[in-house]
Amino acid sequence: MAAPCSSFFSRDSLHALFDKGSSQTLHRRRGSRLIVRADADYYSVLGVSRNSSKSEIKSAYRKLARSCHPDVNKEPGAEQKFKELSNAYEVLSDDEKRSIYDTYGEAGLKGSGMGMGDFSNPFDLFETLFEGMGGMGGSRGSWNGAVEGEDEYYSLVLNFKEAVFGVEKEIEIRRLESCGTCNGSGAKPGTKSSKCSTCGGQGRVVTSTRTPLGIFQQSMTCSSCNGTGETSTPCSTCSGEGRVRKTKRISLKVPAGVDSGSRLRVRNEGNAGRRGGSPGDLFVILEVIPDPVLKRDDTNILYTCKVSYIDAILGTTIKVPTVDGMVDLKIPAGTQPSSTLVMAKKGVPLLNKKNMRGDQLVRVQVEIPKKLSKEERKLVEELADLSKGKTAATSRR
């Protein structure tokens, strides 16, 4: 980001710059002193007074930046607030920038080529002050070059009952593990590392860009040493990577009630980190093979049974398949077509609540015969006559 330029604008040149047309609001006061209304009040951003000392400003920034860091605060707008805090601190912690800001405001900084401070990335500034803070911003890497390991993913197929009741499975995964030959350093055993010639051992390189507003500098991780600040003869086993791919068997406990698309997280079983970084996690994505008879609807199980019209009229008991096996189901007399009968607590257990289960809902289909024998037809006609007689007697009443 912007470092001090070889020569800064004088106050007269700043006046000239603003007189040519600035996007800021300009005001003239007695003595022709130029006052610029800044877009943002850096003192208000950090919650300090204009006469605060450097230590007070630093303390305020550390407190606010820690709570707004996007690795800690997931609320919308937290990252933007974090950047605003860092920008304000960059200016007010530097005597020269602060002096220009106090006199000319934010536009004065832009006019002098100092608007961006000494850091192109607010996370770089944060890590410099907090020195990693025990993992805050870890996914971006810290100054010692440690890089967090990547997550691994595995697809596991379960049958219907395994998903309903849970199961313990042993799976085999391939992941990157720390090289045993070089202990993860990436350097050939017995050799000594030397300071990186590209970054001078800093682990970061600075690029400069000249713009109409001044010289801007950007700090980034050195590509030659990947941020370690050192170069060495690469290990022959891992080719300097510090990690090798190996196979490992893991015992996995799948809880009852999972379904297709459920994701299990196994912490620290992903790829190993580099240069002392923490390992990633293993994510197991579940796919459940549907049952040909029983259908799942959240925690309920759906089943359709067929009964004769005689059984629907008189009532009966039938055998019904469930996840617990075959169970007797009573069909009440007078059951209507498409009625739904409830088999309580014969459904799917609630996830992480084994003692709570859904129900099995049985839809009853009443079968009407397309053809009747002479005897069957005669009996049905007699039944129809009886029904008509009952209807007529009821209407006379």
Side-chain angles (χ1 to χ4, degrees):
M1 295 192 48
C5 300
S6 55
S7 61
F8 296 109
F9 290 90
S10 66
R11 294 197 175 189
D12 292 336
S13 62
L14 281 171
H15 287 307
L17 175 67
F18 295 140
D19 287 339
K20 289 180 180 179
S22 169
S23 62
Q24 309 297 316
T25 302
L26 309 183
H27 300 273
R28 288 280 184 182
R29 294 185 178 177
R30 288 184 181 178
S32 297
R33 182 177 178 181
L34 184 67
I35 303 298
V36 181
R37 181 183 298 161
D39 291 336
D41 185 348
Y42 292 157
Y43 291 100
S44 296
V45 170
L46 293 177
V48 296
S49 63
R50 300 188 72 86
N51 58 357
S52 297
S53 63
K54 272 190 173 183
S55 61
E56 290 173 331
I57 291 173
K58 183 175 183 179
S59 177
Y61 169 73
R62 286 170 66 98
K63 180 180 179 181
L64 294 172
R66 189 200 302 260
S67 63
C68 291
H69 196 289
D71 284 349
V72 174
N73 192 332
K74 303 301 182 182
E75 294 181 4
E79 183 168 350
Q80 181 60 36
K81 177 66 174 177
F82 175 78
K83 292 177 180 179
E84 292 174 359
L85 290 167
S86 298
N87 187 51
Y89 177 73
E90 288 171 18
V91 173
L92 300 186
S93 62
D94 183 279
D95 291 337
E96 193 165 12
K97 299 185 186 78
R98 185 177 179 181
S99 176
I100 293 176
Y101 174 75
D102 287 344
T103 305
Y104 300 105
E106 191 174 14
L109 293 168
K110 293 175 182 177
S112 65
M114 301 177 70
M116 300 299 291
D118 289 329
F119 296 87
S120 64
N121 191 328
F123 298 105
D124 292 341
L125 172 61
F126 182 84
E127 289 168 357
T128 301
L129 290 181
F130 285 80
E131 297 180 352
M133 287 305 297
M136 290 179 67
S139 59
R140 299 177 177 87
S142 57
W143 287 102
N144 62 6
V147 179
E148 183 178 312
E150 305 87 352
D151 295 328
E152 270 291 334
Y153 295 85
Y154 183 91
S155 181
L156 178 63
V157 179
L158 304 175
N159 64 42
F160 191 77
K161 286 191 177 181
E162 287 175 336
V164 170
F165 294 114
V167 66
E168 212 166 305
K169 291 274 189 178
E170 191 172 78
I171 62 175
E172 186 174 275
I173 63 171
R174 283 184 60 78
R175 65 178 185 179
L176 292 171
E177 297 185 3
S178 182
C179 177
T181 304
C182 63
N183 293 322
S185 68
K188 182 178 180 181
T191 63
K192 291 185 177 181
S193 58
S194 58
K195 183 186 294 185
C196 176
S197 58
T198 303
C199 63
Q202 296 300 310
R204 305 183 79 80
V205 292
V206 178
T207 58
S208 300
T209 304
R210 185 177 294 277
T211 74
L213 295 178
I215 299 175
F216 292 84
Q217 291 184 326
Q218 185 174 18
S219 174
M220 62 185 67
T221 302
C222 175
S223 59
S224 299
C225 64
N226 292 321
T228 63
E230 299 178 339
T231 57
S232 58
T233 304
C235 169
S236 58
T237 302
C238 63
S239 301
E241 171 67 16
R243 304 181 298 176
V244 291
R245 193 166 290 279
K246 292 184 178 182
T247 300
K248 181 180 180 180
R249 298 189 72 84
I250 295 177
S251 181
L252 181 69
K253 190 172 183 179
V254 180
V258 296
D259 202 355
S260 287
S262 294
R263 188 171 73 166
L264 305 181
R265 180 178 186 176
V266 187
R267 293 188 179 276
N268 301 324
E269 291 292 354
N271 294 308
R274 289 180 288 178
R275 296 181 292 278
S278 58
D281 298 328
L282 170 65
F283 289 92
V284 180
I285 313 301
L286 302 180
E287 179 183 348
V288 180
I289 301 174
D291 187 272
V293 176
L294 303 175
K295 307 300 180 185
R296 180 170 174 177
D297 180 20
D298 195 11
T299 59
N300 292 329
I301 292 178
L302 310 180
Y303 174 74
T304 299
C305 72
K306 296 180 180 180
V307 298
S308 69
Y309 70 103
I310 300 296
D311 288 335
I313 294 171
L314 302 178
T316 187
T317 298
I318 62 173
K319 294 284 187 181
V320 172
T322 70
V323 290
D324 298 308
M326 299 301 292
V327 175
D328 288 338
L329 173 64
K330 184 177 180 180
I331 306 296
T335 296
Q336 300 300 306
S338 300
S339 296
T340 298
L341 305 179
V342 178
M343 302 178 72
K345 297 185 178 179
K346 290 296 181 182
V348 180
L350 273 66
L351 197 60
N352 298 320
K353 295 180 180 179
K354 288 184 178 181
N355 297 327
M356 299 179 66
R357 293 178 62 174
D359 302 323
Q360 178 159 320
L361 308 179
V362 181
R363 187 169 180 266
V364 181
Q365 285 186 350
V366 178
E367 292 185 310
I368 307 297
K370 294 181 179 180
K371 291 184 180 181
L372 296 174
S373 66
K374 289 183 178 180
E375 293 179 353
E376 288 174 333
R377 185 176 184 85
K378 182 179 179 181
L379 291 172
V380 171
E381 288 174 347
E382 290 176 358
L383 179 61
D385 290 339
L386 288 173
S387 298
K388 289 178 182 177
K390 288 182 178 180
T391 304
T394 303
S395 62
R396 284 197 297 268
R397 291 176 186 176

